[in-house]
Amino acid sequence: MGLVGVQGDGNGEMALSLGSKNKYKRMDSELSDDFEDDASHHHHQLERKKSTRKYVLACAIFASLNNVLLGYDVGVMSGAIIFIQEDLKITEVQEEVLVGILSIISLLGSLAGGRTSDVIGRKWTMAFAAIVFQIGAAIMTLASSFEVLMIGRVLAGVGIGFGVMIAPVYIAEISPTVDRGSLTSFPEIFINLGILLGYVSNYAFSGLSVHINWRVMLAVGILPSVFIGFALFIIPESPRWLVMQNRVEEARSVLLKTNENDKEVEERLSEIVAAAGISNGEKNEEKAVWRELLSPSPSLRRMLITGFGIQCFQQITGIDATVYYSPEIFHDAGIVNKSKLLAATVAVGVTKTAFILIATFLVDRVGRKPLLYVSTIGMTVCLFTLSISLAVLGKGQLGIAMALLCVCGNVAFFSVGMGPVCWILTSEIFPLRLRAQASALGAVGNRVCSGFVAMSFLSLARTITVGGTFFLFSLFSALSVAFVYKLVPETKGKSLEQIELLFQNHNEWDGSEMELGDAQHLVHKA
């Protein structure tokens, strides 16, 4: 009996041993299969991540092409106006109007752009902007009088207004949260690239006859808008706009292309649907958008003050005057030769473009607010130093060197923070149903202030001198530091829908939450 038991035990042991051996073999096989599956899944995720980033990057680049038009116009007009004045014999007042009218008129495009983009979509609003600008640029190129030149300038301004308003909104709406800041800064990068191209165009074509050179300079501005036609075959419509149109499946399809994993897609989609007010198939029965903007809730009022205020401060610190009238500034400092004047403006353009790239690299790493601190404080110092330099040093070599250093320093600090972050914030902080038209309102403030500064600079400089004018700009820049401290929250790393909740729960952030010490830390880090 015992033997049988032993035999049984032995058989059992053998069976167990054999069974265990087979089990281990199966486990080894399963582990190997799991490892291969994990490796395959990891490889697939990496490939999707690369593909997604390339796709979103392409969308951001193509959406920003309209901004090249604004930058090019700003840059090229600073030099072309010298030759237009000589060829068409326009007065100083006409010169101010010609330069500044683009900013004033572009507010019409920005105002209309918000409503237009809600009706026909973000993508086709960009297409419309390019067409209007092309017509305006063509008329300016062929203009034989100041009046005809103004007609073309007005049309170009409307087109630019549409393009400037819609690009940051579109990019913010298609970008993954982690990269939204750097991608939304692309329009500002392209504005700077356009300014640089405008300066280079001035320098390159200045040797042609006076009747021809400024026409060629303006005509070159048509080229970027041609590429926008090709872009329309590549970029998708904004998923948030699609949700607003109740086209949820199309929105999901776009999100699958612009986000790295399916879980994030579903999370973003549910947030967007909830924000759009059509969750569970219910239509959002809110007040009309403009009625809500004119009679805002406390949270929306905070958003509007922040968005509108930062847009106005971007311009009343004098950046457009610095860019448009850099030849006049350098002439006041002592540079007389036209070629040297235009060469100095190229240096300004290179500086402005180089530093916007630094901002793009840092904005999602260190945040919006530290960059704004560094930017506004640096601009204040440069503007104040420039005003003292022009007033005290006179037209000598030291005066020229200081003027060039301060102008380049001012545009560098502007490009590091106030330039790109202004547009990033206004594309982030507003609720979905109001985003396009509220952003348009911010763009209007930007364009009005830009136009006012551009159209009054020469007259103001004649009244209180160029140095006095830049002292005034330095005071506005100092005020912008206080504005950022008190009224601008940090939005880094938050989804658009989370930022909306941030403004609703105002107690969760305070102007003092981001201390100036963080900006000092950023300077050491850089």
Side-chain angles (χ1 to χ4, degrees):
M1 195 71 182
L3 185 59
V4 174
V6 170
Q7 192 177 2
D9 287 345
N11 291 337
E13 214 174 295
M14 284 178 66
L16 179 61
S17 176
L18 288 171
S20 297
K21 189 174 181 182
N22 290 337
K23 183 178 180 183
Y24 293 146
K25 280 185 178 179
R26 285 196 300 273
M27 284 178 68
D28 288 344
S29 177
E30 286 171 8
L31 284 170
S32 177
D33 290 343
D34 287 345
F35 180 77
E36 287 176 7
D37 288 343
D38 288 343
S40 176
H41 178 70
H42 182 66
H43 178 72
H44 175 72
Q45 285 295 101
L46 284 177
E47 287 298 314
R48 179 171 175 176
K49 187 175 182 179
K50 289 179 183 177
S51 174
T52 296
R53 292 206 165 187
K54 285 179 182 177
Y55 184 72
V56 175
L57 183 65
C59 291
I61 290 172
F62 285 127
S64 302
L65 287 176
N66 268 320
N67 292 67
V68 176
L69 306 178
L70 173 61
Y72 185 83
D73 186 274
V74 170
V76 81
M77 192 54 73
S78 68
I81 194 68
I82 299 171
F83 304 106
I84 291 172
Q85 195 174 30
E86 189 177 342
D87 185 29
L88 300 183
K89 305 294 187 286
I90 64 175
T91 65
E92 188 177 275
V93 173
Q94 287 176 319
E95 179 185 347
E96 282 186 318
V97 171
L98 184 64
V99 169
I101 196 67
L102 182 124
S103 294
I104 298 295
I105 292 298
S106 65
L107 73 87
L108 299 177
S110 293
L111 270 175
R115 179 59 182 157
T116 303
S117 67
D118 279 345
V119 174
I120 67 173
R122 307 338 189 194
K123 176 176 172 178
W124 295 107
T125 300
M126 287 186 273
F128 181 71
I131 292 169
V132 174
F133 179 86
Q134 282 180 320
I135 295 170
I139 292 173
M140 284 194 292
T141 301
L142 302 172
S144 57
S145 67
F146 174 75
E147 290 74 19
V148 176
L149 193 62
M150 282 294 293
I151 293 171
R153 192 91 171 132
V154 166
L155 285 172
V158 171
I160 284 174
F162 272 95
V164 166
M165 171 263 145
I166 197 58
V169 171
Y170 173 82
I171 295 172
E173 291 185 347
I174 66 162
S175 300
T177 299
V178 68
D179 295 321
R180 190 180 62 244
S182 57
L183 289 171
T184 311
S185 68
F186 271 40
E188 186 66 21
I189 293 176
F190 278 72
I191 287 177
N192 284 275
L193 179 60
I195 290 172
L196 178 58
L197 291 174
Y199 285 156
V200 171
S201 178
N202 286 337
Y203 188 71
F205 300 119
S206 60
L208 300 175
S209 69
V210 174
H211 184 66
I212 297 296
N213 55 13
W214 64 269
R215 298 176 189 279
V216 176
M217 293 173 189
L218 296 178
V220 171
I222 298 173
L223 295 178
S225 61
V226 173
F227 292 103
I228 297 170
F230 296 105
L232 296 175
F233 294 100
I234 298 174
I235 64 175
E237 185 51 83
S238 158
R240 287 170 169 85
W241 182 81
L242 290 170
V243 168
M244 287 172 67
Q245 305 303 307
N246 225 354
R247 292 155 62 180
V248 178
E249 287 307 312
E250 290 179 57
R252 179 182 280 109
S253 176
V254 174
L255 287 169
L256 285 168
K257 295 178 182 177
T258 58
N259 288 270
E260 294 171 10
N261 61 69
D262 295 342
K263 183 181 177 182
E264 185 178 351
V265 168
E266 294 306 319
E267 287 175 356
R268 290 286 81 81
L269 187 62
S270 62
E271 285 180 351
I272 295 167
V273 169
I278 58 171
S279 183
N280 300 321
E282 294 177 4
K283 275 285 182 182
N284 184 19
E285 296 178 358
E286 299 267 341
K287 293 183 285 184
V289 170
W290 278 107
R291 194 180 306 166
E292 191 168 352
L293 289 174
L294 293 173
S295 180
S297 64
S299 61
L300 180 57
R301 187 180 299 113
R302 287 191 285 270
M303 294 174 190
L304 289 170
I305 291 171
T306 299
F308 193 79
I310 199 74
Q311 288 279 11
C312 292
F313 271 114
Q314 190 201 54
Q315 292 302 325
I316 61 175
T317 50
I319 188 63
D320 275 6
T322 305
V323 174
Y324 273 128
Y325 296 111
S326 51
E328 278 80 359
I329 297 167
F330 295 134
H331 184 271
D332 195 71
I335 302 177
V336 180
N337 183 276
K338 285 183 181 178
S339 293
K340 289 182 179 178
L341 281 175
L342 296 178
T345 62
V346 171
V348 174
V350 169
T351 303
K352 203 168 186 298
T353 305
F355 277 84
I356 188 66
L357 297 176
I358 295 174
T360 302
F361 177 76
L362 292 176
V363 70
D364 280 321
R365 288 169 173 79
V366 302
R368 285 55 159 159
K369 215 162 177 177
L371 287 180
L372 283 175
Y373 279 138
V374 170
S375 177
T376 51
I377 293 170
M379 287 167 61
T380 302
V381 171
C382 289
L383 289 166
F384 180 76
T385 307
L386 178 60
S387 70
I388 298 301
S389 173
L390 292 173
V392 175
L393 295 180
K395 297 185 177 183
Q397 289 300 314
L398 181 58
I400 291 172
M402 283 300 295
L404 187 58
L405 180 64
C406 289
V407 170
C408 286
N410 183 48
V411 299
F413 280 115
F414 177 86
S415 292
V416 160
M418 187 61 93
V421 175
C422 167
W423 294 103
I424 292 170
L425 281 171
T426 51
S427 66
E428 288 179 329
I429 62 176
F430 296 111
L432 174 59
R433 68 186 181 283
L434 306 175
R435 186 169 298 136
Q437 296 188 51
S439 297
L441 200 60
V444 167
N446 182 285
R447 295 294 84 205
V448 169
C449 292
S450 171
F452 177 76
V453 168
M455 293 177 77
S456 63
F457 179 82
L458 291 178
S459 299
L460 200 59
R462 300 291 176 270
T463 306
I464 62 172
T465 73
V466 176
T469 304
F470 277 95
F471 178 74
L472 192 61
F473 290 149
S474 72
L475 294 180
F476 287 130
S477 187
L479 285 175
S480 71
V481 180
F483 179 87
V484 169
Y485 174 77
K486 191 65 182 172
L487 293 168
V488 177
E490 181 56 73
T491 59
K492 182 189 77 168
K494 297 178 176 66
S495 72
L496 298 177
E497 290 68 33
Q498 288 170 340
I499 294 169
E500 182 180 347
L501 294 175
L502 184 68
F503 277 89
Q504 289 174 4
N505 302 311
H506 184 238
N507 292 332
E508 290 185 9
W509 65 274
D510 186 86
S512 60
E513 69 166 322
M514 185 65 66
E515 299 296 336
L516 289 172
D518 293 337
Q520 294 170 354
H521 173 71
L522 171 60
V523 172
H524 293 314
K525 187 175 180 179

